[in-house]
Amino acid sequence: MGRHSLPDQYGAGGSDPRPRARRRTAAVATVMVLTVAGGTAVAVRSGLLSLGSPCQDDPVGLKLAASPDLAPALTAAAQRARKENITSDGRCVAVTVAAHESYKVTDTLTAGKNPGVQVWVPDSDVWVQRITANRAATQVTSTGSVASTPVGVAMVPSAAKSLGWPKKTYSWSELAGAAQRDDSLRLGAADPARSASGLLALTQLTTAAARFEDGRTRAAAMMKTLSQRTSDTDGQVLDTLPRDSSGTERDNPKRNHALVLTEQAAFTHNSSAAGGAGLDMFYPKDGSPRLDYPYTLVDTSELSTDESRAAIRFMTYLRQPEQRRLLQEHGFRTAEEPSAAVVGRAGGSSPQPYAEPSLQPASAAALDEALGIWTITVQSARVTTVVDASASMAQPVPGTGRSRMDVTKASLLQALAGFTPEDEIGLWDFSTKLDGAKDYHVLVPTERLGDRVGGGTQRDRLTAAFGDLAPVPDGATGLYDTTLAAYRAATSSYAEGRFNALVVLTDGVNQDPGSISRGGLLTRLRKLADPERPVPLIMIAVGPDADREEAGLIAGSTGGSGHQVTDPSQIHAVILKAIVAAGAQGSQG
């Protein structure tokens, strides 16, 4: 409080100043009381002062969904916060924490729904990126990381010893290669489509394999091996370890001796009574990706001011030293320098490079590519590709010296290299009246790539057909009739147990005046689409003349997706991204 001076005339004298002085003194006292009261109210509202136990009256309630590994620590922090009467704007903050698998919350948000929480802490920013990239999703806002943990490979002691742990270090590809060579070293992981740790490890393995000339073959072989031992979630993958340390289950083919695992998961496992001899942790020498647990606000447009401020208040509470120690006690990292106690309990030991900085986050493109290749490698695919051969495909792509068709062919050949001999791939092209009155022509029927055809294989036949694609002089775009015919063929030849899809590439809009109308096309596509036998249409609008909005409308009628690329060389990446999106839709169904 500042010093208050009296009016000048009080000190200067005058005729009977006392009544005025009393009035002035009362006024000053009143101002002082109101100022103190007001300051106290502000302090209480902002949580600086706590008068008694205000948390019993009208707290701000927050529902928080957390990754199952982090939920126990956040629950403990929320309970501690309530006991300490932390407040936001004078009201106590009451946080309720529930464990939810990150992929399930992602599915809900991607579908444009709200999971019924104000705050979400998934295990990785991978999920947040997936949502923010989808304009139809319920939007979320990340406000920073709560904790982190690196991803590595944990092994039962006998397996770790056979590989020279802890003195010998390995790269990701070397660890995966050891598991492929030695059937007794069975490597398990969580499904990359449902696990951020599984996806980050897969991306690292795919990136490492790409450095070799036969990189795609290596990656496909590694994925096939890994897919045979995947579990739905990170929690379930721990259940695949031998149940005791006696060695009685050593030869059980269902049991894994090595797991793609986070340091925190290994810490928790080794800390439990059921951990037995515990796990030893390999930290790959080419770097460990990390889970970063982003503190994320859900649909901020629907949050009240009190909820938004309370959510930020709890986040700042989690960053206090006491709560950081609480997170460390649960096996998480809260600083760049790892805790020796956490590393040791997780099974880490020198000279394993556990103190090395985590890898930079993988790009969205790299994650999509890894997951797309995983989808078509593990599940096997049946995909028919339909390519626009109208005259406009002869137009040059700026800066390349090649035509739209030439660049499209190169991109499709690149995509073809990612499919395995088990996949079924076919090719159509279309313009107008290519085959009598029909706008389309079946160049290569959709068959298994490894099948023998004439003097070669289906892959050889497709490679040649891709190379022979050429624009039709003066040919227009018969898009609607072709799309309907191709989708009818794809749904009628649906293959159980495979990822079925139809890919249509066009650089223009429908130009066949005698074709079915767009409304008629949409109606028929909806009738053909069967959720029990899904065949998503992936429509790619190539170049500035194509209509992205129409592509999305047509593809959406089948449960598929529309995309636009300005450069045909982007087609390969878009196909993989679309496969990921279609696979996610299928898992929701």
Side-chain angles (χ1 to χ4, degrees), residues 150-182:
V151 180
V153 178
M155 297 187 187
V156 297
S158 59
K161 184 178 180 180
S162 71
L163 293 184
W165 181 91
K167 293 184 178 180
K168 189 170 182 180
T169 59
Y170 292 81
S171 66
W172 279 101
S173 58
E174 288 168 345
L175 285 167
Q180 285 179 277
R181 290 190 302 271
D182 186 355

Side-chain angles (χ1 to χ4, degrees), residues 341-563:
V342 169
V343 172
R345 184 69 63 85
S349 181
S350 296
Q352 291 295 313
Y354 56 79
E356 291 297 314
S358 298
L359 290 170
Q360 290 297 312
S363 68
L367 293 168
D368 283 339
E369 179 171 3
L371 193 51
I373 294 173
W374 170 268
T375 301
I376 59 180
T377 299
V378 171
Q379 193 174 1
S380 291
R382 179 178 174 83
V383 179
T384 301
T385 304
V386 182
V387 181
D388 190 343
S390 59
S392 57
M393 289 291 283
Q395 292 184 13
V397 175
T400 68
R402 296 189 294 170
S403 69
R404 290 179 183 173
M405 181 63 87
D406 289 337
V407 179
T408 296
K409 290 192 294 186
S411 191
L412 289 173
L413 285 168
Q414 183 183 8
L416 179 63
F419 290 92
T420 73
E422 297 299 320
D423 296 315
E424 300 174 7
I425 311 295
L427 176 65
W428 296 24
D429 67 348
F430 73 98
S431 179
T432 46
K433 296 181 173 54
L434 275 190
D435 186 3
K438 295 189 293 187
D439 293 338
Y440 51 88
H441 183 216
V442 179
L443 298 176
V444 180
T446 305
E447 296 175 1
R448 183 177 169 276
L449 286 177
D451 286 350
R452 302 297 300 180
V453 180
T457 64
Q458 170 78 349
R459 186 187 295 275
D460 296 331
R461 182 162 63 159
L462 268 172
T463 300
F466 279 137
D468 291 340
L469 284 170
V472 177
D474 301 322
T477 306
L479 178 62
Y480 293 169
D481 281 352
T482 300
T483 300
L484 178 59
Y487 194 71
R488 183 182 288 118
T491 53
S492 64
S493 60
Y494 179 85
E496 292 285 349
R498 291 180 178 269
F499 173 79
N500 292 254
L502 173 67
V503 178
V504 176
L505 300 103
T506 180
D507 74 339
V509 296
N510 186 65
Q511 297 172 328
D512 183 355
S515 73
I516 188 175
S517 67
R518 186 170 73 175
L521 171 63
L522 294 175
T523 298
R524 296 194 186 186
L525 289 177
R526 291 188 186 107
K527 288 181 178 179
L528 288 169
D530 181 355
E532 299 299 319
R533 296 160 57 88
V535 183
L537 167 58
I538 299 168
M539 183 166 280
I540 302 176
V542 182
D545 301 326
D547 189 337
R548 160 68 186 272
E549 185 175 345
E550 181 178 67
L553 185 65
I554 294 173
S557 67
T558 70
S561 56
H563 307 265

Side-chain angles (χ1 to χ4, degrees), residues 234-256:
D234 295 281
Q236 291 177 7
V237 76
L238 282 163
D239 293 336
T240 67
L241 289 168
R243 293 175 180 172
D244 55 51
S245 58
S246 65
T248 56
E249 290 194 301
R250 182 176 301 167
D251 298 325
N252 186 338
K254 294 182 180 180
R255 296 294 167 186
N256 294 312

